Amino acid sequence: MSGFYVPIRVDVDNGDTDESYFSLGFVFGHTAAVVPHNIGLCRDELEGDPGSIYIEADDQVHGFTTKAAKYSIDAGVLTITLLDENFFYWDESKVVNIKISSEDAGAIEGCMSNIFSI
């Protein structure tokens, strides 16, 4: 892991479309030069394993489910840390830092809180 990733788009579903589904997506770019292109996190209380978080970067082949992860937001940077055998495919690290704007911070923090309330 080095530095942090700066999203060009953030998509937040904080139970708006389905009160038991929470998802957060970050898009970093649309070209092969940008890896990862995107990172998504979600939790669905009614389907799958409600006590787990699904994290995917770029493609389902790189997605995984975890019950052992944590997050923090400090000085405009969201840090996601994996605490089990999973890792982020592009650099095999267990930590990713994502820069978040002050405009998106409240929605992101609310959604992350819902996703991680396992």
Side-chain angles (χ1 to χ4, degrees):
M1 175 209 65
S2 61
F4 52 82
Y5 297 92
V6 179
I8 59 172
R9 190 178 86 221
V10 177
D11 298 312
V12 179
D13 184 344
N14 202 8
D16 300 328
T17 59
D18 181 339
E19 64 187 39
S20 66
Y21 181 78
F22 306 96
S23 70
L24 182 58
F26 299 95
V27 177
F28 305 110
H30 300 289
T31 69
V34 177
V35 177
H37 306 296
N38 61 72
I39 297 174
L41 301 95
C42 71
R43 183 172 65 91
D44 189 336
E45 295 177 349
L46 301 178
E47 296 183 26
D49 185 352
S52 65
I53 299 166
Y54 179 71
I55 301 174
E56 180 180 306
D58 293 339
D59 190 281
Q60 288 178 330
V61 71
H62 303 299
F64 54 86
T65 302
T66 184
K67 292 183 178 186
K70 67 179 183 175
Y71 80 96
S72 64
I73 298 175
D74 185 38
V77 177
L78 166 65
T79 300
I80 302 167
T81 305
L82 305 175
L83 304 171
D84 58 10
E85 71 281 356
N86 291 303
F87 56 87
F88 296 106
Y89 85 92
W90 63 90
D91 63 0
E92 298 184 353
S93 72
K94 293 189 164 288
V95 178
V96 64
N97 296 304
I98 301 169
K99 181 76 174 154
I100 58 175
S101 71
S102 57
E103 295 83 24
D104 292 328
I108 290 170
E109 186 155 15
C111 192
M112 290 296 287
S113 176
N114 284 322
I115 291 172
F116 280 80
S117 66
I118 54 176

